[in-house]
Amino acid sequence: MPDKVVKWYKKINSETYPIVLNPNEVFEIFYKVKDDTWEDSYYPACYGHCKEQHLEVFVPAEFIYKIKNAIVTYESDVVLTSKGVFWEKYNQDEFVTWAIPADINVAWYDRHNIGIKRYKKQEYIPGRTLSLVGVWAYHWGHCMYQFLPKLFSAGEAGLLDESINVLVVENEDATIMEIIHNYLAKFPKAKIVFAKPGIEYKCEKLYYMPNPGSSFNGPQFRLDYPYYISRHVLDKTKKYIIDPLIDKVKNNETKYEKLFLPRGGRKRSVKNYDEVHDYFMSLGFHDIEGSALTLEQKADLFYHAKEIVGCYGSALLNLMFCNQANLMVLINYKMSTDTSLYLQIRDYCKTVINVTGQDDNPEYHTNYYIPLDRIKNAYEKYIKS
């Protein structure tokens, strides 16, 4: 079907609303999370291409808003209100050029209006509700730096001290739910409500915080402005997740000094995976499947490791538990700026280096080829203890 026909079909099957350009002028500010700041964003060293790079980027002030009778849905960053639609991916300067909006509710948009897909089924949530739903909220990597900081900020704001619903996506990620349950144990009046697909949730009093950091859902890169994660997000992650777990495991005996993060048979993997995997197994590396481990088990393994090698993926987030390990990431060159998302791990790794490959596919999340000799040379020069 031609693109023009698809766009026309989406438009006639959506409802049009004005875009809220400045939420500070439209919604009530409940809590100021941070002021305007200039913060460090970095790109790790890329073998044979560049050294580690740093750039100071402007990070706007962040707030928790209080909005009456607002509607949110599973897997959407749209907030529908009586004043129009607040859509955090929109910004007046760049007009959504930073990212291709991976949003199930957005049918179309221009500089003034947005077309929203509405659902017939609606559930009303009385009282106060904190929203942790949005695009990729179920994903371990995205949730860690886009959604969990909202929960921690709400706790610091005193929002969780009284009766409140915490709306989260219904998912099977044990790590996400383990963190949420552990944190909410300190707030007995907070109740988890699971959001499901195909339902609009109308909240009597919605407390909403836009995702901290730059949007990274299918990016169209600006070379002068790499991804960033707000410093307050990194600090909260350290305070509420990393430090308590490190205290539990730091005196344990080392199980493995060399970890390999496998990705065979999945997308975004090196095409010559078997020979790469066999090489590192011959050096005494051990496969670690983070999805099969508890947070404490992951903290224990990564804290005591000295060398870590892996294909790019959310498993790299576990490097936040490291104690100055050496890290080598195998990654598609087209995706290599994505590793700026892992700013947290730079604080805990002695060396971080990308080893890149490419393929003939112009898409973003594709497999790639890296000659084994190139990987060996990078390992010998930068990673080998």
Side-chain angles (χ1 to χ4, degrees), residues 297-311:
Q297 288 172 326
K298 287 189 279 191
D300 191 7
L301 286 169
F302 282 84
Y303 181 80
H304 294 97
K306 302 300 182 184
E307 300 176 10
I308 301 172
V309 176
C311 295

Side-chain angles (χ1 to χ4, degrees), residues 86-362:
F86 178 45
W87 189 36
E88 63 181 35
K89 288 188 174 66
Y90 182 94
N91 68 86
Q92 297 184 63
D93 294 331
E94 306 303 332
F95 185 50
V96 205
T97 54
W98 285 3
I100 302 169
D103 198 307
I104 61 172
N105 271 38
V106 177
W108 63 273
Y109 56 89
D110 57 28
R111 291 185 179 273
H112 305 287
N113 300 296
I114 187 169
I116 301 300
K117 176 184 177 182
R118 297 296 304 270
Y119 296 109
K120 293 181 180 180
K121 186 174 182 179
Q122 186 178 100
E123 292 188 7
Y124 181 71
I125 304 180
R128 307 187 313 151
T129 300
L130 172 69
S131 174
L132 299 184
V133 303
V135 175
W136 301 115
Y138 65 86
H139 185 278
W140 153 243
H142 291 260
C143 188
M144 176 65 73
Y145 293 119
Q146 287 186 291
F147 296 93
L148 291 179
K150 302 180 186 185
L151 180 66
F152 302 147
S153 296
E156 293 182 357
L159 186 56
L160 307 179
D161 294 338
E162 301 300 327
S163 179
I164 190 169
N165 304 294
V166 180
L167 187 64
V168 303
V169 296
E170 190 172 44
N171 62 75
E172 298 178 355
D173 193 309
T175 300
I176 292 174
M177 295 314 303
E178 182 180 353
I179 294 172
I180 292 175
H181 281 298
N182 288 345
Y183 186 75
L184 289 182
K186 301 179 293 184
F187 304 99
K189 295 183 180 180
K191 182 182 72 172
I192 293 175
V193 177
F194 288 106
K196 299 180 180 180
I199 301 175
E200 295 184 347
Y201 292 90
K202 186 172 185 178
C203 306
E204 181 182 7
K205 295 179 182 178
L206 177 70
Y207 292 84
Y208 178 80
M209 178 181 170
N211 292 335
S214 53
S215 176
F216 53 92
N217 298 312
Q220 297 175 344
F221 294 116
R222 289 182 58 188
L223 296 179
D224 64 326
Y225 210 130
Y227 294 137
Y228 65 82
I229 300 174
S230 299
R231 186 71 237 177
H232 80 91
V233 172
L234 305 181
D235 292 341
K236 289 182 173 74
T237 304
K238 183 176 186 298
K239 179 179 180 179
Y240 297 114
I241 300 176
I242 300 172
D243 286 352
L245 286 164
I246 295 301
D247 285 341
K248 290 183 178 181
V249 305
K250 62 185 179 183
N251 294 322
N252 292 353
E253 292 185 4
T254 300
K255 189 171 184 180
Y256 305 124
E257 289 194 348
K258 298 180 179 181
L259 308 182
F260 187 86
L261 310 181
R263 202 174 176 84
R266 288 174 276 183
K267 67 180 181 179
R268 299 201 309 266
S269 180
V270 64
K271 289 183 176 180
N272 49 328
Y273 179 85
D274 288 342
E275 68 169 353
V276 171
H277 182 262
D278 290 346
Y279 168 67
F280 284 106
M281 293 301 103
S282 72
L283 298 179
F285 279 74
H286 295 266
D287 284 338
I288 299 298
E289 284 286 0
S291 60
L293 304 172
T294 66
L295 270 173
E296 185 171 336
Q297 288 172 326
K298 287 189 279 191
D300 191 7
L301 286 169
F302 282 84
Y303 181 80
H304 294 97
K306 302 300 182 184
E307 300 176 10
I308 301 172
V309 176
C311 295
Y312 173 78
S314 58
L316 293 176
L317 280 174
N318 295 308
L319 274 293
M320 65 185 176
F321 298 121
C322 283
N323 183 21
Q324 299 305 306
N326 291 330
L327 167 67
M328 184 166 74
V329 181
L330 309 180
I331 188 168
N332 188 328
Y333 188 72
K334 296 190 293 290
M335 286 194 77
S336 58
T337 53
D338 229 4
T339 49
S340 292
L341 292 175
Y342 299 109
L343 281 165
Q344 182 81 62
I345 68 176
R346 192 64 189 94
D347 295 340
Y348 303 99
C349 293
K350 181 180 179 181
T351 301
V352 179
I353 188 164
N354 286 338
V355 181
T356 58
Q358 293 196 37
D359 61 10
D360 297 329
N361 193 318

